[in-house]
Amino acid sequence: MEKTAMAAAVWMLPLLLVLAQFTEAAQEGFDVRQHLSTVSRYGAVKDVIVNNTFVPSNAVDGCTAIHLNLVARHGTRSPTKKRMRELDRLASHLKELISHAEHKKLSLEKLPAWLRSWESPWKGKLKGGELISQGEEELYDLGMRTRERFPQLFEEPYHPDVYVIKATQVPRASASAVAFGMGLLTGKGKLGPAKQKAFAVTSESRASDLMLRFFDSCQSYKVYRKNKEPAVGELKEPVLDKITAALVSRYGLEFTRQDASSLWFLCKQEASLLDVTDQACGLFNPSEIELLEWTDDLEVFMLKGYGNSINYKMGVPLLEDIVQSMEQAIKSHEEKLPPGSYEKARLRFAHAETVVPFSCLLGLFLEGPGKSMFC
């Protein structure tokens, strides 16, 4: 008997939450780019299957997608101004440490040559936080893959009421939406050799964006985060102290805990933005990198994830919007409304502070009833 095609509303959520593992990492085949927590590139593939509990979703036989919801983080970006200043301070302190060691005639044979004259790659840069070329490519490719996966959803001519694209007012998010839209709609218009199509990206005010910047709008969460951050820092201190001591012993410089933290940040930026893994990242062994990754994941867990329900319950308006859009799409399909008269995709571009809490609100990667990955 011939199967009857069933309608299905679909949502997608690129997850950037990395599971911490405490296993000893083998030197051979270890790729630090797969251990960068929320700094990870879209293309960094990491096995997140734990005890065969995670299975990628596939379309149910006989079902046809009629609507798509997407919640995505922006693509790879440059460091913010605050972080660039941190790297400038690191460069200055490294010079002081080396000068002090030379003055005391300490052996620096084990010190990597690059560290002796290192300057921040972002030294002198006045602006930061923008989407970089790699980030543009990530979202452009995601747009193309989305159309390839759901070709039937994007057969109609583009209209902003049919294919709704939203982003926060932060430029890297809106730029990500533009890059995605270019990939999604390439060949759909008449602009240039690639036959691009102009499209609309809308945003809410930062102060009132309850959907994509709920972490800025929820005063209770702001109070919780401010009060919790010192405790999170204390939990990270033993790991940082252990790794700082290892760096001092290994290279002969009197590194501080802040130096170790800044060098780890530099490692993540070099690996993610510059594809350089043999400088700052080379200062740490794989086991230390896994521990540093754990400190990042701990912070995400406590301040953005399952650590407290306030982290993700503030994402309920976003969930309600997704459900409402799905229900409306199903109703329109059942009523056999003509093509082009109802929405077929709602595409949103935001931040890790949006995606991680929302993934927790959906209960993703929650190990057992009422349990989290850190329990």
Side-chain angles (χ1 to χ4, degrees):
M1 184 173 65
E2 184 177 351
K3 291 183 179 179
T4 302
M6 298 174 61
V10 182
W11 64 270
M12 294 172 60
L13 178 66
L15 292 176
L16 298 170
L17 187 62
V18 181
L19 301 179
Q21 299 179 8
F22 294 90
T23 57
E24 287 292 324
Q27 291 279 354
E28 184 178 355
F30 184 86
D31 188 348
V32 67
R33 287 167 294 195
Q34 297 177 350
H35 297 267
L36 304 180
S37 193
T38 59
V39 184
S40 300
R41 293 270 298 274
Y42 267 70
V45 178
K46 185 174 182 181
D47 183 8
V48 296
I49 300 177
V50 180
N51 298 326
N52 296 318
T53 57
F54 175 75
V55 180
S57 60
N58 294 309
V60 179
D61 289 343
C63 288
T64 301
I66 63 169
H67 188 271
L68 173 67
N69 265 284
L70 171 69
V71 180
R73 181 186 184 264
H74 58 75
T76 300
R77 62 171 174 85
S78 69
T80 61
K81 288 190 292 184
K82 179 180 178 180
R83 286 299 207 169
M84 289 190 292
R85 289 195 295 269
E86 177 184 339
L87 293 178
D88 288 338
R89 290 193 295 271
L90 173 64
S92 297
H93 193 232
L94 288 175
K95 287 184 175 65
E96 293 175 5
L97 292 178
I98 293 172
S99 176
H100 179 69
E102 290 175 339
H103 179 73
K104 295 179 67 175
K105 297 183 179 180
L106 299 177
S107 174
L108 296 177
E109 292 181 358
K110 296 182 179 180
L111 192 68
W114 68 268
L115 201 59
R116 296 173 183 268
S117 58
W118 179 80
E119 296 283 357
S120 169
W122 299 276
K123 181 180 180 180
K125 196 166 180 284
L126 300 178
K127 300 288 185 180
E130 77 280 4
L131 190 72
I132 62 173
S133 58
Q134 293 95 325
E136 294 173 354
E137 293 171 359
E138 289 165 352
L139 272 296
Y140 180 83
D141 291 343
L142 179 60
M144 295 191 70
R145 294 198 305 273
T146 299
R147 190 172 73 176
E148 290 172 0
R149 184 170 181 181
F150 303 104
Q152 72 281 4
L153 284 179
F154 301 99
E155 293 173 342
E156 297 178 18
Y158 167 79
H159 190 280
D161 292 337
V162 177
Y163 303 109
V164 178
I165 305 177
K166 295 178 176 288
T168 69
Q169 281 194 327
V170 179
R172 57 181 170 269
S174 56
S176 295
V178 171
F180 179 93
M182 291 178 67
L184 182 73
L185 299 173
T186 187
K188 292 283 188 176
K190 298 181 180 180
L191 300 177
K195 296 184 178 181
Q196 293 288 351
K197 175 71 178 178
F199 55 91
V201 178
T202 60
S203 299
E204 299 290 337
S205 168
R206 284 198 195 192
S208 58
D209 192 347
L210 298 179
M211 301 290 182
L212 299 180
R213 289 190 67 86
F214 42 72
F215 50 90
D216 265 351
S217 304
C218 181
Q219 295 303 316
S220 296
Y221 171 71
K222 288 183 176 181
V223 172
Y224 163 76
R225 178 165 184 146
K226 182 178 180 180
N227 292 335
K228 196 67 177 178
E229 283 177 339
V232 173
E234 290 178 5
L235 290 172
K236 294 164 64 173
E237 284 178 3
V239 172
L240 290 173
D241 287 344
K242 177 181 178 180
I243 293 175
T244 300
L247 293 176
V248 171
S249 174
R250 192 175 300 147
Y251 301 111
L253 293 182
E254 297 178 3
F255 292 111
T256 65
R257 182 194 299 156
Q258 181 58 55
D259 292 331
S261 178
S262 296
L263 285 169
W264 171 233
F265 174 73
L266 174 61
C267 163
K268 292 187 290 185
Q269 297 301 300
E270 287 184 339
S272 183
L273 278 65
L274 308 176
D275 279 327
V276 174
T277 60
D278 58 354
Q279 289 196 166
C281 295
L283 297 175
F284 308 101
N285 64 41
S287 296
E288 291 166 348
I289 287 173
E290 285 193 328
L291 285 172
L292 290 165
E293 179 190 22
W294 177 83
T295 64
D296 287 343
D297 289 342
L298 173 67
E299 182 173 333
V300 169
F301 172 76
M302 297 296 293
L303 302 179
K304 300 174 188 175
Y306 286 116
N308 191 298
S309 62
I310 194 174
N311 293 341
Y312 51 87
K313 285 186 176 179
M314 58 183 173
V316 167
L318 174 58
L319 179 60
E320 290 176 340
D321 183 64
I322 289 175
V323 172
Q324 180 274 327
S325 67
M326 287 181 171
E327 290 176 341
Q328 185 59 48
I330 293 171
K331 180 181 178 182
S332 299
H333 182 79
E334 290 175 343
E335 293 177 353
K336 300 186 184 304
L337 297 182
S341 64
Y342 62 93
E343 182 182 285
K344 300 196 75 172
R346 193 170 296 190
L347 313 166
R348 307 167 183 82
F349 300 87
H351 311 271
E353 291 83 358
T354 312
V355 174
V356 173
F358 186 64
S359 70
C360 295
L361 185 62
L362 297 177
L364 300 180
F365 300 106
L366 184 63
E367 294 185 347
K371 295 182 180 180
S372 76
M373 67 191 75
F374 283 80
C375 288

